[in-house]
Amino acid sequence: MATDTTPATDPRDFVPGRPVVFRRATVLAVDTGEVVEGGDVLVTGDRVEAVGRRLAVPAGTAEIDAAGGILLPGMVDTHRHMYQTALRGIGADWTLGQYFAFCYLNWGEVFRPRDVHAGNLLAAVEALDAGVTTVLDWSHGLRTPEHADAAVDALRAVPGRHVLAYGNLLGAPWEWATGADFRTFAERRFTPGDDMLGLQLAFDVTGDPAFPERAAFEAARELGLRVTTHAGVWGATDDDSIRLMWEHGFMTPAVTYVHAASLSPDSYRRIADTGGTASVAAESELNAGQGYPPTRRLREHGIPVSLSTDSAMWGSADLFSAMRATLNAARGRAHLAAHERGETVSHHRLRAEDVVRWATLGGARTLGLDSVTGSVTPGRKADLVLVKNDRSPAMSPVVHPYGHIVLQAGRGDVHTVMVDGRVVKYEHALLGGLRDCLAAARAAAAETVEHVRAAMGEKEWRAVREPVLPDGGGSSSPYTYASRDGDDGGEGGDGGGPEV
């Protein structure tokens, strides 16, 4: 193999079919735990060809100078309500009950298909810019086929790896998941085996003893789809939901339990025994109140963990923040418990390497994509992120690479992003059509803000952004799937949550 390379000083060097080599990086393989100092990674086509030092590469290979940087797998977000990015930051001071009241009881239905498209487009570009190459879109705003098409159109427009988790927060899952509209949509927009765009079902289990969600689980099983469900959410979904799934035989390795923060030991054992996975959104859980991030309990029961960002309505929507929040939450609680016993923590059980693994390979496993992505391994798809920033004093020296990713680096340090062998960001700049996507998404999101503001009225708009927190702060479950006016429309019930 020839050793000639052409330095990639111009983004136009990254043309389809041309091999790319990252030179002299600190490479985090993740799957094996190996750290290759001064390592090279060769990409040919859409896959990682080789990992090593001073690799010989084909003549004409484009070279990326990764010296001083950390090369890791593309990060994987297993639970992001992407359409809500169009109202970024509106819920910075919300509790979970206020989120329920806004989305389920009052204003979720004002989102038009174009608003779903705007939020998804902005979120998808944002994810790539922050080194997140795979996102599960927990899309519970799909009230009509037009909303669903808008969501997929936006995901298709951005060269990331996406999974649409189809949901409808204002409808009963046993109705929409078995309806002709959903079946037709799934057949029309998705191709089995497509690892760039997948489909799951997204719905929650109310705890109703009649277990009406059975039909939705049966639909998922018939169609061969995974299920993602908010479980163990304080005041909303509890152990009864897990018990009903268990008793009816719907707890399988194809189910992801989002949050899983307020469950009993029996529920965790059932998840573990059936091979389920968990998606922890620590920043959201700490701020909104779904429950304390359950990483200790998940690890104790051997439940595979992944990380997620939940909603940009109230959170930072990047996995650097998610990793840091997860580590801080676990260590802070361990210290507090030890101090209350008059003891001190002498050794951290949760390591920086653990949370990096959860943000990469753990996410891929949760989505059933660990044979595709999640590690820097020859034969895997080339989803890679180079964290390097020569202008930042915080990016040197790199002494503890896993710790550096979690506690020192941030989204602004993402130098290069590659998805499926395609360079989509280089030298801190989005490439090709992504700049146009970002401009279009920003304009569309601004229009969505004006639409929602007008629909609500100025008084309600200001009240939502500056909430008066209710005494007690309770958040009763809104997952009643009952109409607010008593008909059979399948809209969100009154839930008893706090007023907006």
Side-chain angles (χ1 to χ4, degrees), residues 80 82 116 120 135-140 142 147-153 155 161-167 182 185-186 189-190 196-202 225-226 228 367:
R80 184 183 303 202
M82 295 177 75
V116 170
N120 272 30
V135 182
L136 179 135
D137 177 19
W138 221 101
S139 195
H140 60 352
L142 307 183
H147 286 78
D149 278 323
V152 172
D153 288 344
L155 299 181
R161 203 176 297 279
H162 300 109
V163 176
L164 180 76
Y166 188 109
F182 172 71
F185 167 76
R189 299 306 304 264
F190 294 86
M196 294 302 294
L197 181 65
L199 179 65
Q200 294 191 18
L201 290 188
L225 300 178
R226 301 176 71 92
T228 176
L367 300 183

Side-chain angles (χ1 to χ4, degrees), residues 88-324:
R88 183 191 305 280
I90 190 174
D93 296 315
W94 283 352
T95 61
L96 184 61
Q98 288 163 330
Y99 170 82
F100 285 157
F102 181 89
C103 292
Y104 287 75
L105 310 181
N106 293 313
W107 304 111
E109 62 189 2
V110 306
F111 279 86
R112 305 162 298 178
R114 64 194 297 175
D115 303 318
V116 170
H117 186 278
N120 272 30
L121 192 64
L122 186 57
V125 176
E126 176 185 16
L128 288 183
D129 187 62
V132 179
T133 57
T134 303
V135 182
L136 179 135
D137 177 19
W138 221 101
S139 195
H140 60 352
L142 307 183
R143 298 188 293 112
T144 70
E146 291 75 22
H147 286 78
D149 278 323
V152 172
D153 288 344
L155 299 181
R156 284 288 194 192
V158 177
R161 203 176 297 279
H162 300 109
V163 176
L164 180 76
Y166 188 109
N168 178 0
L169 57 82
L170 299 180
W174 52 89
E175 294 175 353
W176 57 256
T178 60
D181 283 346
F182 172 71
R183 299 299 180 99
T184 299
F185 167 76
E187 293 172 359
R188 181 167 49 87
R189 299 306 304 264
F190 294 86
T191 302
D194 182 358
D195 59 35
M196 294 302 294
L197 181 65
L199 179 65
Q200 294 191 18
L201 290 188
F203 61 88
D204 299 321
V205 179
T206 62
D208 181 343
F211 193 55
E213 294 86 4
R214 168 194 286 274
F217 280 108
E218 289 175 339
R221 182 171 290 175
E222 176 188 347
L223 296 171
L225 300 178
R226 301 176 71 92
V227 172
T228 176
T229 184
H230 294 113
V233 175
W234 184 264
T237 52
D238 56 23
D239 293 308
D240 284 338
S241 302
I242 299 296
R243 177 182 56 77
L244 288 165
M245 292 172 61
W246 168 269
E247 291 174 351
H248 291 86
F250 292 109
M251 295 185 74
T252 73
V255 178
T256 297
Y257 304 86
V258 177
H259 301 304
S262 305
L263 295 172
S264 68
D266 279 345
S267 290
Y268 290 117
R269 280 193 290 270
R270 286 169 171 169
I271 294 172
D273 289 347
T274 55
T277 57
S279 177
V280 174
E283 191 174 68
S284 173
E285 290 145 13
L286 291 169
N287 281 275
Q290 294 93 335
Y292 203 85
T295 52
R296 177 180 61 81
R297 286 172 288 180
L298 296 172
R299 284 160 60 86
E300 286 174 349
H301 287 89
I303 298 170
V305 180
S306 65
L307 303 185
S308 61
T309 60
D310 204 340
S311 173
M313 275 186 170
W314 55 23
S316 58
D318 78 86
L319 283 177
F320 291 99
S321 297
M323 287 187 286
R324 191 169 301 175

